[in-house]
Amino acid sequence: MGLVIGEISYTNMLPLYYYLDRDYLNRIGCMFIPQIPAQLNEAMSKGAIDVGGISSFSYGEHVDQYTLLPNLSVSAPKNVGSIFLFSKVPITQLDGKKVALTSSSATSVNLLKIILQTFYQMDVSYTVMKPDFNEMLKDHDACLLIGDDAIVTLWGLSPDFHRYDLGQIWYEHTKLPMTFAVLAVRNEILERENERISILYDGFMTSKNKCLENNYSEMISSIRKDLSGSKTYWENYFQGLNHDLTDKHIEGLYLFYDKATELGLLKKVNKISLWSALDHCHSI
């Protein structure tokens, strides 16, 4: 029947996809759907996508329906470099203010709510909008942007604005990495598509490792043609990211889910299931 693969269309996910042999994967029945995280989250929840990159928060919403592919994520041990709160005032002065949230995200939107309500004990009014810096700040005191939207905004940011990296704030308060996106598969297709999933998983791991081996050099050359930016900027950016899913990442995810549950944003997540080619999945 084939395998429909979701692909987050941001550079932070690119190392997992860059070296995939798409011609071969297409020949064996794999089809790629590139979209922003919010669109992929919805498509996967409706069964239009079988496997691929989604927001970590969306996995938490569907924890009983999805299984994670191990060793793969978009995470940050500290600074993520592409998820920013841009503000007219210091973050400590946002109590009672209005914040515009990007419509592209799930994880970052809820992470910001955790940061402002739990870490800073502030009551903030939120509005979800299309990711447009100038439009978002017309009637709001701050805005949240993610991915390439955040990077391009950062490059042209006036010194009058304050900016805050959500990955860094999370680390300062938890001492744990923040996992923003995961690679997940719908449970009902695990048995049916185990062979194709195994081939795809090997491709993801090969792509990640090859990017690490050549310090992202080929991929950065390609990115600069589309988005510009200096070679040094992109090297520093990818060195600040992490695409693994270790026990520490899982610990950070559980804490993120617990804090989201405390704020009523998410139902309690009791287990995170990881896929295995041998036993299909196990929980940790």
Side-chain angles (χ1 to χ4, degrees), residues 66-120:
Y66 303 166
T67 296
L68 296 186
L69 297 182
N71 309 311
L72 298 169
S73 76
V74 176
S75 301
K78 293 183 182 179
N79 290 342
V80 63
S82 55
I83 299 175
F84 289 106
L85 176 70
F86 298 104
S87 181
K88 298 174 183 176
V89 300
I91 192 170
T92 52
Q93 297 178 18
L94 281 175
D95 191 39
K97 298 290 198 296
K98 298 189 294 182
V99 175
L101 303 172
T102 176
S103 58
S104 304
S105 168
T107 300
S108 303
V109 160
N110 289 288
L111 176 59
L112 180 61
K113 292 178 180 179
I114 290 168
I115 286 171
L116 294 180
Q117 292 170 241
T118 302
F119 297 164
Y120 288 94

Side-chain angles (χ1 to χ4, degrees), residues 155-215:
W155 288 343
L157 190 67
S158 162
D160 296 335
F161 290 97
H162 303 267
R163 64 174 173 88
Y164 299 92
D165 187 301
L166 267 58
Q168 179 65 30
I169 297 175
W170 172 261
Y171 176 78
E172 288 172 356
H173 285 82
T174 68
K175 301 306 182 217
L176 289 169
M178 180 63 209
T179 297
F180 293 93
V182 291
L183 278 291
V185 54
R186 291 180 59 87
N187 290 341
E188 69 266 23
I189 69 121
L190 280 172
E191 190 75 38
R192 188 189 82 209
E193 296 291 350
N194 194 58
E195 184 176 354
R196 266 187 280 234
I197 291 169
S198 296
I199 293 170
L200 178 65
Y201 176 73
D202 289 344
F204 283 141
M205 289 298 295
T206 297
S207 184
K208 179 181 81 167
N209 292 331
K210 193 167 181 179
C211 283
L212 286 169
E213 287 166 7
N214 64 33
N215 197 30

Side-chain angles (χ1 to χ4, degrees), residues 28-65:
I28 66 170
C30 296
M31 179 176 68
F32 290 87
I33 306 291
Q35 290 179 328
I36 61 171
Q39 293 170 327
L40 292 179
N41 296 342
E42 182 179 6
M44 192 154 174
S45 71
K46 292 179 177 178
I49 286 174
D50 299 319
V51 58
I54 58 169
S55 298
S56 301
F57 187 83
S58 184
Y59 172 72
E61 292 179 306
H62 301 276
V63 67
D64 295 327
Q65 300 163 266

Side-chain angles (χ1 to χ4, degrees), residues 12 25 53 103 143:
N12 56 21
L25 289 168
S103 58
C143 70

